[in-house]
Amino acid sequence: MPNNIFYTLQKSSFLDQKLQAYADTDYYPFHMPGHKRTDKLTLPNPYSIDITEIDGFDNLHHTEGILKDAQIRAAELFGAKSTFYLINGSTCGILSAISAALPKGGALLMSRNSHKAAYHAAYLRELETIYLLPSLTDFGISGSIPPAHVKQALEEFPQTGCVFLTSPTYDGIVSDIQAIADIVHAHGIPLIVDEAHGAHFMFSKNFPTPALRCGADVVIQSLHKTLPCLTQTALLHVNSKRIDMNLVKRFLSIYQTSSPSYLLMASMEKCIRFMREEGPGQMAEFTQMLRQFYKKAQNLRRLKIFTKDSCAPSDCFDHDFSKILISVGNTGLTGKELYDSLLQAYHLQMEMSSGHYVTALTSMMDRDMGFQRFWAALESIDHKNRSSDSDSSDQLLTTEMIYQIPKPGMSISMAMEQHTELLSLKASTGHISQEYIYLYPPGIPLVAPGEIMTGKLVHTISLCQKQGLSIEGLNDIENQKIKVVKM
Ligand SMILES: Cc1ncc(COP(=O)(O)O)c(C=O)c1O
């Protein structure tokens, strides 16, 4: 079938051609970016508006004209004192915020399930890292960070200079930022919230309260993840004097490219204008679609959809229900099989799969037709697949497995600068790791650089592998060998 678009897609060996062929298919995106490849927002031919810092177009690293005004408009819309455009994603916002909040060698209290950018900031700024463990939900994903744990940690580690949390998580779990901000501020230090997955919150009361309204000092949001904006676009909001604005600017000028794309910045300007004019209305329609979906989902017999109500309130303070988590339940499928089935049989591209669930990321740019196709596919899979004797969630992790943060042998940055040797995991007991080992979900590192490998940890890793859970982070793709600090 040489004329078939799917044939063209398979045969394309150049990225631009393959992307075009893909755009012509009926694959539906339940993944980022939040614009969902719709033509609701358009920009001119990218080549026609791609410029550099020519006269009249300002300079992102020294704004005094059109970009300064754009950032002021963004701050007004999101309710921040100051807002910075990021064209290197939330990644560069996290690096800059942590770097600005602490002196070199300072102490950072951070949630253990933080994005790697927070770990990288600790590496680059030689920080002492102290970890907050999220609770673990019955669904097997990381829950909220309990405010009491923040209080306890700040009393135990009075050297802490800044607290960094992720809310919502990739799975949509939100922590009680208001209560945490009060605790952190009582210690006179700033709270940085990675709200990369929550830029849409402020446009609807049906979603969790945005961190900026809860007293966070710095909030970082990816526009591209949940709003109609091009990939890499994000915002960094500063909302208090607990963080030095000049230092924020200094680090942004280090971590952002010196050639910011005007195409990306135009996309941000357009997205922000769209959200100001149409955001609340679009979010209201989107909420309706989501509510209908969740209502129908109650009829599923084998698949299970995550909801806030299925968790203990202490495990999930709030949940962003635009992130739809579908557990394989007792279909007898694995998360990967469910993901593959949705993709191959129904042309529905999910955001990700894990051992026992798949994630569909939705946004206000989703169309009714997309939700209908999704529902029809789930209903059919739910009917077709056999019941397995045991609910696969029975085999989930025990808290014991992930709540054993190894003892630090040295800081992340010190470990990264050492000579290393490659050992089998079995032989690594007693050695200091130079690598991360993540268990996904819940996305918490079992070990980070500088931490000491233990027999129990090695046993946990092999147990996870036997259960088919996803171990990530090691250089060795077979997950058999680890780089450790040479003794
Ligand atoms: C929780 C979290 N924070 C930050 C980031 C980085 O965001 P960006 O891709 O905009 O750099 C991600 C990326 O997936 C993320 O999941």
Side-chain angles (χ1 to χ4, degrees):
M1 283 189 293
N3 288 330
N4 184 308
I5 42 178
F6 297 109
Y7 177 85
T8 316
L9 177 64
Q10 276 164 13
K11 289 288 157 201
S12 310
S13 48
F14 297 108
L15 180 60
D16 56 325
Q17 292 171 1
K18 186 160 181 157
L19 284 168
Q20 185 58 61
Y22 185 66
D24 293 338
T25 64
D26 69 346
Y27 283 94
Y28 188 91
F30 281 108
H31 56 83
M32 296 179 271
H35 57 68
K36 299 295 181 119
R37 299 194 275 115
T38 59
D39 51 13
K40 265 196 187 170
L41 270 73
T42 54
L43 285 170
N45 170 358
Y47 292 102
S48 72
I49 59 165
D50 188 27
I51 57 166
T52 185
E53 288 86 0
I54 53 174
D55 287 357
F57 289 91
D58 213 356
N59 179 339
L60 187 64
H61 290 287
H62 185 78
T63 57
E64 47 189 13
I66 195 163
L67 293 175
K68 184 177 176 193
D69 295 343
Q71 293 185 143
I72 290 171
R73 281 193 290 273
E76 279 167 4
L77 181 64
F78 284 87
K81 286 204 167 66
S82 301
T83 294
F84 296 90
Y85 269 24
L86 308 175
I87 34 67
N88 290 53
S90 287
T91 299
C92 80
I94 294 169
L95 285 166
S96 303
I98 295 177
S99 302
L102 287 166
K104 204 167 182 185
L108 175 68
L109 179 60
M110 60 187 270
S111 44
R112 182 78 175 174
N113 57 336
S114 295
H115 184 256
K116 57 187 172 184
Y119 286 88
H120 292 164
Y123 164 36
L124 294 170
R125 298 285 289 156
E126 301 177 10
L127 305 178
E128 176 193 356
T129 45
I130 305 153
Y131 298 106
L132 288 161
L133 277 170
S135 52
L136 184 69
T137 65
D138 290 343
F139 196 83
I141 56 174
S142 282
S144 306
I145 298 283
H149 290 192
V150 179
K151 188 165 187 290
Q152 199 183 333
L154 288 176
E155 282 160 12
E156 200 179 329
F157 301 98
Q159 72 273 34
T160 302
C162 168
V163 177
F164 176 87
L165 298 183
T166 305
S167 176
T169 62
Y170 192 24
D171 297 314
I173 304 286
V174 169
S175 292
D176 185 352
I177 298 299
Q178 179 78 66
I180 293 172
D182 290 346
I183 293 165
V184 174
H185 293 159
H187 287 258
I189 57 173
L191 171 66
I192 303 172
V193 178
D194 170 357
E195 203 173 51
H197 291 276
H200 56 304
F201 286 0
M202 71 146 297
F203 301 98
S204 167
K205 289 215 162 52
N206 299 307
F207 285 78
T209 312
L212 274 172
R213 290 206 193 123
C214 297
D217 300 278
V218 180
V219 177
I220 299 122
Q221 301 172 323
S222 297
L223 292 180
H224 68 97
K225 292 191 195 297
T226 60
L227 297 183
C229 214
L230 293 180
T231 298
Q232 282 191 213
T233 56
L235 298 173
L236 182 152
H237 308 285
V238 180
N239 221 19
S240 90
K241 291 210 165 82
R242 287 186 194 87
I243 187 132
D244 183 337
M245 196 74 85
N246 287 324
L247 285 178
V248 173
K249 285 184 190 162
R250 179 198 291 175
F251 285 104
L252 282 175
S253 77
I254 294 171
Y255 296 128
Q256 297 232 70
T257 169
S258 60
S259 306
S261 158
Y262 278 81
L263 186 61
L264 294 184
M265 293 189 284
S267 155
M268 293 166 88
E269 178 83 300
K270 184 137 193 171
C271 167
I272 286 164
R273 204 162 63 240
F274 176 78
M275 291 312 294
R276 187 173 51 237
E277 289 163 8
E278 297 189 37
Q282 296 279 338
M283 286 295 280
E285 281 177 34
F286 176 42
T287 302
Q288 275 303 105
M289 283 199 293
L290 281 171
R291 286 207 170 126
Q292 278 168 18
F293 177 85
Y294 277 90
K295 194 165 170 212
K296 283 194 277 194
Q298 288 171 355
N299 299 325
L300 293 171
R301 286 179 301 168
R302 299 187 180 96
L303 294 168
K304 286 184 188 166
I305 311 269
F306 176 86
T307 62
K308 183 185 154 190
D309 300 335
S310 60
C311 286
S314 55
D315 290 343
C316 175
F317 176 73
D318 210 346
H319 182 244
D320 169 10
F321 71 144
S322 70
K323 295 162 183 47
I324 304 176
L325 316 180
I326 307 132
S327 162
V328 293
N330 54 8
T331 53
L333 299 171
T334 63
K336 181 72 170 67
E337 285 166 348
L338 176 58
Y339 173 99
D340 286 344
S341 168
L342 287 164
L343 182 62
Q344 283 152 20
Y346 303 94
H347 289 187
L348 301 173
Q349 174 66 62
M350 297 293 113
E351 169 73 18
M352 71 127 198
S353 72
S354 79
H356 72 287
Y357 73 100
V358 300
T359 305
L361 292 187
T362 63
S363 89
M364 75 191 83
M365 291 291 116
D366 275 301
R367 285 138 283 165
D368 200 33
M369 163 276 289
F371 270 98
Q372 280 178 25
R373 280 178 57 187
F374 192 24
W375 173 248
L378 290 180
E379 207 179 21
S380 147
I381 292 170
D382 193 63
H383 270 81
K384 241 188 336 224
N385 286 282
R386 68 191 185 280
S387 284
S388 67
D389 292 341
S390 69
D391 185 329
S392 65
S393 58
D394 293 346
Q395 310 160 8
L396 295 181
L397 317 169
T398 61
T399 38
E400 160 83 340
M401 281 161 80
I402 53 169
Y403 288 125
Q404 39 165 340
I405 298 180
K407 283 207 180 73
M410 55 181 71
S411 68
I412 294 178
S413 57
M414 199 182 276
M416 297 305 273
E417 300 303 322
Q418 305 299 313
H419 290 294
T420 57
E421 56 185 324
L422 197 60
L423 295 182
S424 72
L425 276 172
K426 270 195 193 136
S428 68
T429 301
H431 288 260
I432 295 175
S433 172
Q434 202 206 44
E435 294 195 85
Y436 294 92
I437 304 179
Y438 289 97
L439 182 57
Y440 213 96
I444 293 179
L446 294 170
V447 69
E451 292 172 344
I452 302 170
M453 298 294 292
T454 61
K456 201 168 161 196
L457 189 61
V458 172
H459 176 67
T460 298
I461 295 165
S462 89
L463 214 63
C464 291
Q465 285 170 331
K466 274 192 203 127
Q467 283 196 13
L469 299 172
S470 167
I471 296 281
E472 292 169 17
L474 287 171
N475 241 348
D476 171 24
I477 45 167
E478 308 275 314
N479 286 330
Q480 297 301 323
K481 295 203 166 116
I482 181 166
K483 256 197 254 169
V484 296
V485 170
K486 206 167 185 168
M487 294 219 235

